[in-house]
């Protein structure tokens, strides 16, 4: 059966494209995302789309093509840029993903709290695109849904 799609949103530099490549087991180098990028079953978005409300409509429209929304929280960041309950405006299932858990500056508990502001009810996964910790678990949970 043809797979549904997963749309990944989150701030600039939070690790969306690196995560995309790890989930797809694609070892090609990661470059700055300039536009909506379709790769197999993943729709990667530029961080600017999550940081600037001017792009929210575009994210909403694109999300209609997806079955799951992945909202990324970088474990090394101390702020939440998305508005409270943001994911509830999207008509699809969402998962939270905390990235960079391998990083020496990672604050995982804080990241969970920040993500909960946007995703009060969703499952939250913790991953590293460096050590690959949590990656198989996240991929399996996604593939079960799409
Ligand atoms: N330590 C660590 N660094 C990571 C991890 N994932 C991504 N990075 C680094 O974070 C930086 C940004 O990664 P990207 O995947 O390009 O981030 P992005 O969210 O796609 O950024 P935009 O395309 O600008 O929105 C890069 O230097 C990555 O190497 C991780 O799991 N651990
Ligand atoms: Mg990117």
């Amino acid at each position: 059966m043809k797979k549904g799609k997963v749309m990944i949103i989150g701030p600039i530099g939070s690790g969306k494209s690196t995560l995309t490549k790890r989930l797809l087991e694609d070892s090609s180098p990661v470059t700055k995302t300039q536009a909506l990028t379709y790769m197999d079953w993943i729709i990667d978005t530029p961080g600017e789309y999550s940081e600037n409300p001017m792009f929210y409509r575009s994210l909403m429209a694109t999300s209609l093509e997806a079955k799951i929304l992945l909202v990324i929280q970088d474990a090394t960041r101390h702020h939440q840029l998305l508005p409270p309950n943001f994911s509830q405006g999207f008509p699809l299932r969402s998962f939270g993903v905390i990235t960079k858990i391998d990083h020496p500056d990672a604050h995982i508990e804080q990241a969970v709290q920040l993500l909960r502001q946007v995703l009060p009810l969703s499952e939250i996964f913790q991953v590293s695109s460096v050590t690959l910790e949590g990656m198989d678990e996240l991929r399996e949970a996604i593939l079960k849904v799409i």
Side-chain angles (χ1 to χ4, degrees):
M1 210 177 80
K2 195 171 175 293
K3 287 194 195 81
K5 293 204 185 301
V6 174
M7 183 169 96
I8 307 190
I9 68 169
I12 297 166
S14 57
K16 300 177 295 298
S17 303
T18 312
L19 176 65
T20 297
K21 302 233 168 175
R22 297 297 177 269
L23 287 171
L24 296 175
E25 295 178 301
D26 173 343
S27 54
S28 64
V30 177
T31 53
K32 164 80 195 150
T33 311
Q34 307 282 2
L36 288 173
T37 305
Y38 290 72
M39 289 183 69
D40 200 339
W41 45 270
I42 298 184
I43 307 171
D44 186 15
T45 63
E48 286 78 359
Y49 280 42
S50 294
E51 295 203 5
N52 186 340
M54 222 167 64
F55 292 108
Y56 288 176
R57 271 170 174 276
S58 171
L59 288 180
M60 296 274 174
T62 307
S63 76
L64 298 174
E65 300 170 47
K67 264 202 175 157
I68 307 184
L69 178 70
L70 291 193
V71 181
I72 306 303
Q73 175 71 44
D74 179 335
T76 69
R77 299 272 176 92
H78 305 287
H79 302 287
Q80 179 52 265
L81 295 169
L82 293 169
N85 300 323
F86 186 62
S87 69
Q88 289 177 340
F90 287 84
L92 68 166
R93 179 148 174 198
S94 48
F95 289 164
V97 181
I98 296 170
T99 53
K100 310 191 189 180
I101 61 168
D102 62 280
H103 199 286
D105 298 332
H107 295 281
I108 294 172
E109 275 173 33
Q110 178 178 255
V112 171
Q113 282 176 14
L114 291 168
L115 207 41
R116 278 272 166 249
Q117 297 171 4
V118 179
L119 296 165
L121 303 169
S122 307
E123 260 180 275
I124 293 183
F125 296 84
Q126 301 178 9
V127 300
S128 165
S129 292
V130 173
T131 65
L132 302 185
E133 191 181 344
M135 202 57 72
D136 289 345
E137 194 187 337
L138 173 62
R139 189 186 301 105
E140 274 168 33
I142 291 171
L143 293 177
K144 251 188 232 164
V145 177
I146 64 171

